Amino acid sequence: KNEVEQSPQNLTAQEGEFITINCSYSVGISALHWLQQHPGGGIVSLFMLSSGKKKHGRLIATINIQEKHSSLHITASHPRDSAVYICAYHSGGGADGLTFGKGTHLIIQP
Amino acid sequence: SQTIHQWPATLVQPVGSPLSLECTVEGTSNPNLYWYRQAAGRGLQLLFYSVGIGQISSEVPQNLSASRPQDRQFILSSKKLLLSDSGFYLCAWSRTAFTEAFFGQGTRLTVV
């Protein structure tokens, strides 16, 4: 069983729509990452957060540590936002790496 | 600024052949280094991580091995590839375990 659950798995929306991608996890964590993977496979880190909320341009990430839940929001979505968005966490046990969700495949249609 | 290089970008190898994927990081010293694999239809999975030269930790028993011969060089190897080794391999680095991670462009490996 994957310890990180993302929803939805696939999302198609129209340009300009407000997008929400959810991430739930089942263990205590030290930090949660939101990543963006483009069709070629390259991954870019969007956010790393351990509490509260972060904003970067049209992207907003929130986390509720008590509820073990995080959301990624995209305002005024654009076709260039089309990508796979991946939630991952670090449990804080040491230098070991991230545990990843399977990703949400987002398509923004013009 | 820091950069991470991973090559090759794509690779098609026959079953039973050896594998060597290389990853180098520039612009930082003593990074934590990671190899991840993304199999078809599945999320990324940690394969190996390293906190220093010659120090390798393995997360998943498999047909692969990793080495860190230099501070900023991380190599993923196999002596004999299996069909199940096909997938997308990503190298990543971070300053510490609790800071932002930076990813290479990945290698798409197809074992035929």
Side-chain angles (χ1 to χ4, degrees):
Chain A
K1 181 178 184 298
N2 199 319
E3 296 175 345
V4 186
E5 297 293 336
Q6 285 187 237
S7 63
Q9 292 184 7
N10 298 282
L11 178 58
T12 299
Q14 294 298 120
E15 183 174 357
E17 287 189 39
F18 181 81
I19 304 298
T20 295
I21 299 171
N22 296 300
C23 173
S24 297
Y25 50 93
S26 56
V27 300
I29 68 171
S30 60
L32 186 130
H33 299 246
W34 280 102
L35 310 167
Q36 182 188 53
Q37 185 174 29
H38 283 282
I43 289 182
V44 174
S45 177
L46 298 175
F47 296 102
M48 187 186 75
L49 64 165
S50 55
S51 66
K53 173 181 174 179
K54 286 190 176 180
K55 185 176 188 294
H56 181 73
R58 296 181 293 107
L59 301 177
I60 303 167
T62 63
I63 188 168
N64 185 317
I65 294 294
Q66 288 74 28
E67 295 186 2
K68 295 184 170 59
H69 181 268
S70 177
S71 293
L72 176 68
H73 305 284
I74 305 175
T75 61
S77 60
H78 189 278
R80 65 175 175 265
D81 297 326
S82 300
V84 176
Y85 292 85
I86 302 170
C87 167
Y89 70 75
H90 185 270
S91 61
D96 52 312
L98 300 170
T99 299
F100 295 82
K102 291 184 179 181
T104 294
H105 189 188
L106 174 66
I107 298 174
I108 303 297
Q109 296 177 334
Chain B
S1 63
Q2 301 85 18
T3 56
I4 178 170
H5 302 281
Q6 183 183 342
W7 66 94
T10 60
L11 193 57
V12 179
Q13 291 283 96
V15 169
S17 64
L19 172 74
S20 180
L21 302 181
E22 188 163 344
C23 173
T24 59
V25 179
E26 296 178 357
T28 189
S29 60
N30 198 31
N32 288 350
L33 295 172
Y34 306 89
W35 278 112
Y36 295 97
R37 177 171 62 194
Q38 187 176 40
R42 304 184 65 179
L44 282 157
Q45 182 183 40
L46 177 66
L47 300 177
F48 300 95
Y49 66 92
S50 171
V51 299
I53 296 174
Q55 300 179 57
I56 307 295
S57 295
S58 173
E59 287 294 301
V60 181
Q62 59 224 324
N63 184 40
L64 302 168
S65 62
S67 61
R68 185 170 177 173
Q70 299 181 45
D71 181 44
R72 291 168 290 177
Q73 184 185 30
F74 205 24
I75 298 172
L76 183 69
S77 304
S78 173
K79 292 182 179 178
K80 287 186 177 181
L81 284 168
L82 305 172
L83 286 173
S84 58
D85 292 324
S86 294
F88 187 68
Y89 290 82
L90 272 167
C91 179
W93 77 273
S94 63
R95 285 194 178 86
T96 72
F98 309 105
T99 54
E100 185 178 3
F102 300 91
F103 293 83
Q105 287 301 301
T107 298
R108 192 162 302 282
L109 171 66
T110 304
V111 182
V112 295

